Amino acid sequence: MRVLGINAVFHDPAAALVIDGQVVAAAEEERFSRRKHGKRPVPFSTWELPELSARWCLEFAGITAGDLDAVAYSYDPSLVDAEYAPWEELRTTYARRAPEFLATALPGLDPAIVRFVPHHVAHAASTGLAAPFGGNCAVLVSDGRGECGSHLAGRYVDQELTTFASQRLPHSLGLMYEDLTQHLGFLRSSDEYKVMALASHAAPVHLDLMREHVRVREDGGFEVRPIDWNALAKPRKDGDDISQEHAELAASVQVRLEEVLLELARWLHDRTGEKRLTMAGGVALNCVANTRIFAEGPFDEVWVQPAAGDAGTALGAALATTTDTVSAMPGADLGRGFSDEEIEQVLRVAAVPFEKPADVAAEVAEALAANKIVAWFQGRSEYGPRALGRRSLLANPCHAENLTRLNDVKGREQFRPVAPMVLADRAAEVFTRGPLPSPYMLFVHDVRPEWKDRIPAVVHVDGTARAQTVEDDPVLERMLREFEARSGVPVVVNTSLNTAGRPMVDTPRDALECFGSSPVDLLAIGPYVVRR
């Protein structure tokens, strides 16, 4: 069965293609349109579809829209409570018309094959069916909102989902965190990760109050009472200084979020008895909370789908719709890739001097050992918000000042950390508490005391690091081993290859534009290098 999954209603529009139960391709529209998050999550944008990513998925598989057996749309307008919010009727109207919009965007598509998949079912399938557990696991979904809810707790058995608990709006952990994000002067439905980073810089002085306002119920749901943010911290505007009271408020909400998720995970474990937990939804991108669930919760294994936010519902909708036996997600590298010949042609058209070293991995390791910053462009691009060694900026972790250097290169706030990538067979020597291996950078790990002074650039203020373990990637592994041979450290700084407010680069041209506009010393693109 050939199923194209579509996410379009809120933010991070994306497309994914599943053929005979195999995940073939998946990509976010922002990588094609070069518009961060694809669009803003307002009712007026619901009609905007991931046309470019959908067309690419079909082209990559060598099929046309007319060859599809189904198109799975990760939202079911029949479930919407139109009384929930202003303009909700407009969003619902656009969603109902999605089959006709899709048929216009993808010539040859029969609108009759479009299937509406409930938003949280799509989230659940994106992790429960994509996980390496054979379709048998507990599943916890938490986000801002779907059609009428914000949470799902259930279990997959032989690819069939049973839902044990859900939470109706307006109660939402994700919307609470979005409200806080906006109050702190960041962009809601976009910058929540900045709040998570800021939270580590203060104590949760308002935790008791947060416990009064956010409570878990005995039925596996929760309630979020209105919070007077102004009484806790002065509203901040973008560009204003961040005060201690802002950090304290971030810490208070972050810790309460972690506590609530732990309680929900324990409730789900008591209900199912499962040993394996899978998670998705935007809240599942909170890697600090994920680690607490792993370290303090009752499950033996915790797996988070790498595109856990709304982009991942394109994949989940397709997996929930196919009638074939589903295979585990093969990895996050599901986007566009380019041949050596295609890359060389772009370099020649750009008229930039480039070289083809005998071993690009060794060349990069040498540059990193010399404390240079390297743009790394290799293989197919990542599906999801994390740079996982396909479209990355790399640096030497042994120099503390490299955190400031990279934040300056990217135009980021200086309170934000950068992450390490580490050889999987060496990770346990350096990191603890979080799960290992950790290939998708969705958990934080404590840095062992004896390593903190050796890799200071990747150690956050609270002594943690959001590590990515590397295996089964020959070029990336070789680069890490070559760097260790020169530095004695099996760790490299890894952050996304982009600048502030722009999507990660996706094509060779994107990579050249980023390299040319930022103080990066070396671009490693396929087998070639371009020097500053």
Side-chain angles (χ1 to χ4, degrees):
M1 189 174 183
R2 296 169 172 176
V3 184
L4 179 69
I6 296 289
N7 171 59
V9 170
F10 296 113
H11 49 81
D12 298 303
L17 183 63
V18 173
I19 298 179
D20 299 332
Q22 304 276 345
V23 182
V24 173
E28 295 166 73
E29 189 72 1
E30 69 165 25
R31 306 296 180 87
F32 297 79
S33 69
R34 309 309 299 159
R35 182 183 179 190
K36 187 71 171 173
H37 295 298
K39 61 179 182 177
R40 293 300 298 148
V42 295
F44 307 97
S45 72
T46 304
W47 66 271
E48 297 184 48
L49 296 169
E51 297 181 29
L52 300 174
S53 51
R55 290 172 189 161
W56 172 78
C57 284
L58 298 177
E59 292 169 4
F60 178 78
I63 63 174
T64 67
D67 297 322
L68 292 168
D69 298 299
V71 175
Y73 186 85
S74 63
Y75 191 84
D76 186 347
S78 71
L79 301 177
V80 172
D81 180 358
E83 300 296 321
Y84 168 67
W87 299 104
E88 195 66 25
E89 187 174 348
L90 179 61
R91 176 182 278 130
T92 304
T93 298
Y94 282 144
R96 288 197 187 105
R97 296 293 301 275
E100 290 76 22
F101 292 152
L102 284 162
T104 300
L106 302 173
L109 176 70
D110 179 0
I113 70 170
V114 177
R115 304 285 183 265
F116 293 118
V117 178
H119 188 71
H120 289 113
V121 171
H123 268 309
S126 79
T127 189
L129 295 181
F133 300 149
N136 296 282
C137 56
V139 59
L140 190 67
V141 171
S142 185
D143 66 358
R145 58 161 298 190
E147 298 86 357
C148 58
S150 67
H151 168 71
L152 179 151
R155 173 172 60 187
Y156 273 99
V157 176
D158 297 329
Q159 296 189 191
E160 291 293 328
L161 174 65
T162 300
T163 300
F164 297 116
S166 60
Q167 180 56 58
R168 290 188 66 84
L169 296 169
H171 303 284
S172 169
L173 299 175
L175 291 182
M176 173 190 69
Y177 215 91
E178 287 186 19
D179 289 344
L180 172 63
T181 299
Q182 181 172 306
H183 185 78
L184 295 178
F186 303 117
L187 183 63
R188 69 179 300 139
S189 296
S190 173
D191 292 349
E192 285 70 27
Y193 60 94
K194 297 182 182 180
V195 176
M196 182 183 68
L198 180 62
S200 299
H201 290 261
V205 299
H206 305 295
L207 182 56
D208 288 342
L209 180 65
M210 292 302 140
R211 287 169 176 162
E212 293 177 10
H213 282 268
V214 188
R215 297 183 177 183
V216 176
R217 298 198 312 264
E218 292 183 357
D219 64 356
F222 52 85
E223 62 179 46
V224 180
R225 299 175 182 173
I227 299 169
D228 184 358
W229 303 110
N230 291 330
L232 303 175
K234 181 181 177 181
R236 175 181 170 270
K237 296 180 180 179
D238 184 27
D240 289 352
D241 290 339
I242 297 172
S243 69
Q244 184 66 17
E245 70 173 6
H246 292 137
E248 289 170 348
L249 180 54
S252 301
V253 175
Q254 172 66 31
V255 172
R256 185 54 185 152
L257 176 72
E258 297 164 16
E259 293 176 342
V260 169
L261 291 173
L262 261 172
E263 289 186 62
L264 295 174
R266 287 168 178 149
W267 182 93
L268 182 57
H269 181 267
D270 289 343
R271 186 66 185 265
T272 65
E274 290 285 348
K275 296 182 178 180
R276 295 163 166 169
L277 174 66
T278 59
M279 298 195 299
V283 176
L285 292 172
N286 192 302
C287 54
V288 177
N290 294 346
T291 292
R292 284 200 64 182
I293 291 171
F294 171 77
E296 303 173 36
F299 291 95
D300 294 341
E301 296 180 68
V302 178
W303 192 84
V304 183
Q305 196 262 111
D310 273 9
T313 64
L315 173 62
L319 294 176
T321 300
T322 185
T323 59
D324 298 309
T325 300
V326 173
S327 298
M329 189 176 185
D333 53 333
L334 297 169
R336 285 187 287 185
F338 300 86
S339 68
D340 294 351
E341 292 75 20
E342 289 173 317
I343 292 171
E344 182 176 348
Q345 178 64 21
V346 171
L347 294 173
R348 292 194 181 282
V349 169
V352 295
F354 64 93
E355 308 165 24
K356 187 176 182 180
D359 184 351
V360 71
E363 195 76 20
V364 167
E366 189 69 29
L368 293 172
N371 204 27
K372 296 182 183 298
I373 294 176
V374 176
W376 177 268
F377 183 107
Q378 303 290 332
R380 293 176 66 180
S381 60
E382 301 93 338
Y383 181 45
R386 305 287 189 251
L388 302 170
R390 303 296 175 143
R391 307 289 188 269
S392 293
L393 273 175
L394 309 178
N396 189 322
C398 304
H399 304 281
E401 66 273 13
N402 281 343
L403 170 60
T404 301
R405 286 178 71 196
L406 284 169
N407 280 336
D408 285 343
V409 167
K410 292 168 64 69
R412 306 193 326 170
E413 299 86 354
Q414 288 297 341
F415 67 80
R416 292 170 56 189
V418 290
M421 62 167 55
V422 59
L423 290 163
D425 59 7
R426 304 295 303 283
E429 300 173 31
V430 185
F431 304 104
T432 185
R433 193 166 65 99
L436 294 172
S438 184
Y440 300 131
M441 207 185 288
L442 286 168
F443 298 86
V444 297
H445 299 75
D446 291 337
V447 181
R448 294 188 182 276
E450 62 272 23
W451 278 91
K452 289 182 179 179
D453 290 337
R454 297 185 66 185
I455 52 172
V458 296
V459 182
H460 195 31
V461 65
D462 60 359
T464 66
R466 191 182 65 199
Q468 175 203 354
T469 56
V470 175
E471 57 186 331
D472 301 324
D473 187 329
V475 177
L476 200 56
E477 285 185 74
R478 190 164 68 254
M479 182 274 293
L480 284 163
R481 295 194 191 282
E482 291 283 351
F483 179 72
E484 182 181 17
R486 291 162 173 78
S487 67
V489 172
V491 174
V492 164
V493 180
N494 172 32
T495 188
S496 55
L497 183 51
N498 64 334
T499 52
R502 304 194 67 185
M504 270 193 281
V505 308
D506 204 70
T507 68
R509 179 168 180 166
D510 297 338
L512 281 174
E513 289 177 353
C514 184
F515 177 71
S517 63
S518 55
V520 175
D521 299 299
L522 184 77
L523 168 63
I525 181 166
Y528 307 105
V529 297
V530 181
R531 302 182 189 277
R532 176 66 60 194

